[in-house]
Amino acid sequence: MKKFLLSAIFISLAALSFIGCDKKSDSTVKTQGTDSRHTIKVGYVQVGHESAWRNANTLSFKSTFTADSGYEFLFVDADGSQKVQFDAIRNFIAQNVDYIVLAPVVETGWDDILKEVREAGIPVILSDRQIKVSDESLYLCWVGADFLQEGKNAVKWLTAYLENKNLGTEEINIVHLQGTMGASAQVGRTQGLMDGIASYPNWNLAAQKSGNFTTEGGKKAMQEIIKSVGINKINVLYSENDDMTLGAIEAIKEAGKVPGDDIIIISFDAVYKAFMKIITGEINCECECNPLHGPRVGEIIRTLESGKPVEKIQYVNESVFDHTNAQAVMLTRRY
Ligand code: AHR
């Protein structure tokens, strides 16, 4: 009956731009002195461990959802597999968690499993990547980055950079390394670049390949592109994350070119290692993607626990870095 009621609440709240949620009331009661409170059981299904960004994201959750803070935290690393994510979600249902937090590997294919979660009356909070579902009420809310905006930021930076170097009207050949195909980080950043190429007739897409967001993938894809396109034809590398960029930089150096000088390098994430590369001149531009979602999701759960509504879509603020502003931020970067 309780599950039926919760399902009904989710459905009826779907039309609202703000969504509140009654938490399940069967969590264990923990007593601290005179104060008694619930231990909140949270299941987090992570994409994997493909990148430095991802590892920072995992750490952010693990250090937020601690026993001392009143949580029981169940964590699954899906190693890039949506099937493993489905299995983890079913396991969280069986374990009767209070909340499921999902960082989806890809955007599509979530309708059926999220219907199962709704049947079980468990609120779903999406973190990092987004999903495409027929019914938006299948999840409670989402927090993460605006990947399309990140791509637009990159295009804006490149436009200004080329103009500054008096290359604004030159023919520019762009190599594009894509992340995991179908992940919203890939979809948004790719769209940003495609829009840029469509609006500048002198920008050409010289090659496009997925490096699956990993260093090895980035290096292999870049080596193949260098072989097919020819290193001398490449003016710009637009690489959808730092791990792939680091691999691609190795490939560019092995082909005898100077990254950041012979080839303009634009990357995404802005992890510490990438900041180092801005300082040494091997990366020209970093479009930030912030991985520290643990405290943000913690805040969402606290709000829900107090019976208040939360915003359905919550974007985080992100910056763009190059040699003009990297140094100061780099000193505080912990991932
Ligand atoms: O979804 C965020 C992306 O996933 C990050 O840019 C990338 O590094 C990670 O693997």
Side-chain angles (χ1 to χ4, degrees), residues 47 50-54 128-129 147 150 180 183-185 189 212-213 240-243 268-269 289:
V47 167
E50 72 283 1
S51 63
W53 186 101
R54 186 65 54 198
D128 171 25
R129 299 175 182 174
F147 300 115
E150 290 174 359
T180 303
S184 57
R189 291 167 188 166
N212 209 21
F213 285 132
E240 289 179 359
N241 90 337
D242 284 339
D243 297 76
F268 294 81
D269 285 355
C289 183

Side-chain angles (χ1 to χ4, degrees), residues 43-50 54 57 75-93 100-110 113-114 116-117 126-131 180 182-183:
Y44 181 40
V45 54
Q46 175 61 288
V47 167
H49 49 273
E50 72 283 1
R54 186 65 54 198
N57 178 262
F75 176 81
V76 173
D77 173 340
D79 198 17
S81 160
Q82 188 179 35
K83 157 91 177 58
V84 173
Q85 295 203 309
F86 291 166
D87 293 345
I89 289 170
R90 290 198 177 102
N91 186 260
F92 291 157
I93 295 173
I100 290 176
V101 183
L102 166 64
V105 175
V106 289
E107 289 186 338
T108 53
W110 295 101
I113 188 85
L114 291 187
E116 289 178 39
V117 181
L126 300 178
S127 168
D128 171 25
R129 299 175 182 174
Q130 291 189 319
I131 59 174
T180 303

Side-chain angles (χ1 to χ4, degrees), residues 2-3 11 21 27 30 40 46 70 73 87 124 144 163 176 178 190 197-198 225 244 261 323:
K2 180 188 70 179
K3 286 178 179 175
I11 293 163
C21 155
S27 345
K30 185 172 163 181
I40 303 167
Q46 175 61 288
F73 187 58
D87 293 345
V124 174
E163 267 165 23
H176 180 200
Q178 295 175 289
T190 293
I197 289 176
I225 289 170
M244 293 193 299
D261 194 358
H323 74 281

Side-chain angles (χ1 to χ4, degrees), residues 196-212:
I197 289 176
S199 58
Y200 293 104
N202 57 318
W203 291 15
N204 308 316
L205 182 63
Q208 191 176 50
K209 228 180 216 320
S210 172
N212 209 21

